[in-house]
Amino acid sequence: MVRSYFHLHLVSDSTGETLINVGRAAAAQYEGVSAIEHVYPLVRSGAQLERVINEIEQAPGIVLYTLVGRELTERLEEACRATGSPLLSVLEPVHQLLQSYLGTHSTARPGAQHMLNAEYFKRIDAMNFTLAHDDGNLPVDLNEADVILLGVSRTSKTPTAIYLANRGLKTANIPLVPGVPPPPVLETLRKPLVVGLIASPERIVQIRQNRLLSLKADDSSSYVDRDAVADEIATSRRLFARNRWPVIDVTRRSIEETAAAIVDLHREHRLKFIAS
């Protein structure tokens, strides 16, 4: 397949995270087409914008922006018309909908979503907890967790836990090792949501082989034996079923998809916990 490319300019008066996520999500829907991203964060002055415009003139393409200043917006619109670059304010349709529904106008505050607030410090606290409770560390205070992830080696426990921590959920992850029982306290916990992660034996073996290859380690152990791995997964399934813990198969899921499913499960679990 022949792949084509286009320039995608992302102009923001804040960190640019919103634009990056929107731009990539949309561009991913077009097979055989890739975006050459130009990211311009913290554009808040005329001089900064002129440098952006100069790059757009050198490589015209689609321009997505989140600028709240009227003068900056008008100057960017003018430059895009001159270069024939399609332009879209990503937040404007949302603002119009909110204004129509709420009957009031917004206040222009660049980067307002990143202001330090209780939610921000909650995420920091969750991240500290998650990093301290990675790979079975500090099991004594597991009841302080919001989520506990269980699974055999290479079921994406750590990256999923970190992603959940960024959503404000204190997440511990515990590996299931053959011949080593999980912490007994798990069966008595009520507050945390315990989730089992599984994957197909073929997927686990593939990831483990790549891991050993990167470490230049011997790959003749049961760690990468297909039958042994299948037995590990079957044992973990029995453990999850015995304790009625929800199970997520991560074989074909991205970290984001797995985390989204866990967030939904946690919401339901929290409501049941509060009601009990």
Side-chain angles (χ1 to χ4, degrees):
M1 177 185 296
V2 178
R3 181 167 292 276
S4 60
Y5 298 85
F6 70 97
H7 292 281
L8 179 62
H9 299 273
L10 307 172
V11 188
S12 174
D13 51 24
S14 186
T15 63
E17 293 176 15
T18 300
L19 285 174
I20 292 172
N21 290 333
V22 171
R24 289 178 180 175
Q29 308 304 312
Y30 296 88
E31 189 175 357
V33 180
S34 294
I36 301 173
E37 292 181 357
H38 306 262
V39 183
Y40 315 97
L42 302 174
V43 178
R44 299 180 179 179
S45 70
Q48 292 171 324
L49 182 61
E50 289 306 318
R51 288 194 288 271
V52 172
I53 290 173
N54 182 61
E55 291 206 30
I56 295 174
E57 290 173 343
Q58 297 298 317
I62 295 175
V63 179
L64 303 180
Y65 72 94
T66 53
L67 299 175
V68 298
R70 190 66 247 167
E71 290 185 6
L72 295 180
T73 300
E74 290 176 350
R75 174 67 185 110
L76 181 60
E77 290 174 348
E78 176 189 356
C80 287
R81 283 195 297 270
T83 61
S85 298
L87 177 75
L88 177 67
S89 170
V90 169
L91 293 181
E92 187 60 29
V94 181
H95 281 312
Q96 290 178 354
L97 178 63
L98 288 174
Q99 289 175 8
S100 174
Y101 184 79
L102 299 175
T104 185
H105 291 280
S106 61
T107 301
R109 292 186 299 164
Q113 72 271 33
H114 298 291
M115 292 175 63
L116 299 185
N117 53 24
E119 190 66 25
Y120 172 84
F121 290 108
K122 179 183 177 182
R123 291 201 305 272
I124 295 300
D125 190 33
M127 187 63 72
N128 289 334
F129 181 94
T130 299
L131 293 175
H133 293 76
D134 181 42
D135 204 29
N137 290 323
L138 300 178
V140 292
D141 58 347
L142 286 177
N143 200 50
E144 297 301 314
D146 296 306
V147 175
I148 299 174
L149 303 179
L150 298 179
V152 302
S153 173
R154 305 295 117 186
T155 46
S156 303
K157 295 183 299 297
T158 294
T160 303
I162 292 175
Y163 191 96
L164 290 170
N166 198 45
R167 296 286 299 272
L169 294 177
K170 294 181 180 180
T171 308
N173 80 82
I174 299 174
L176 298 179
V177 181
V180 179
V185 69
L186 286 174
E187 299 186 9
T188 63
L189 297 175
R190 292 182 63 253
K191 175 181 174 289
L193 167 70
V194 181
V195 179
L197 302 182
I198 62 169
S200 69
E202 292 75 17
R203 179 59 175 161
I204 295 295
V205 169
Q206 179 187 35
I207 297 174
R208 290 183 179 183
Q209 286 176 333
N210 291 337
R211 173 69 171 167
L212 292 179
L213 184 63
S214 68
L215 297 174
K216 297 181 180 179
D218 180 24
D219 63 353
S220 61
S221 69
S222 60
Y223 183 67
V224 292
D225 178 79
R226 200 271 179 199
D227 292 337
V229 171
D231 186 61
E232 283 186 56
I233 296 170
T235 301
S236 71
R237 280 184 178 274
R238 288 193 292 270
L239 173 68
F240 303 150
R242 184 169 66 249
N243 291 279
R244 298 182 179 179
W245 292 327
V247 178
I248 297 178
D249 189 333
V250 302
T251 304
R252 293 182 176 83
R253 286 179 184 258
S254 66
I255 300 300
E256 294 84 354
E257 290 171 329
T258 301
I262 293 171
V263 169
D264 284 340
L265 288 171
H266 178 261
R267 186 181 300 111
E268 296 176 7
H269 175 79
R270 186 168 175 270
L271 291 174
K272 292 179 182 177
F273 177 73
I274 293 173
S276 63

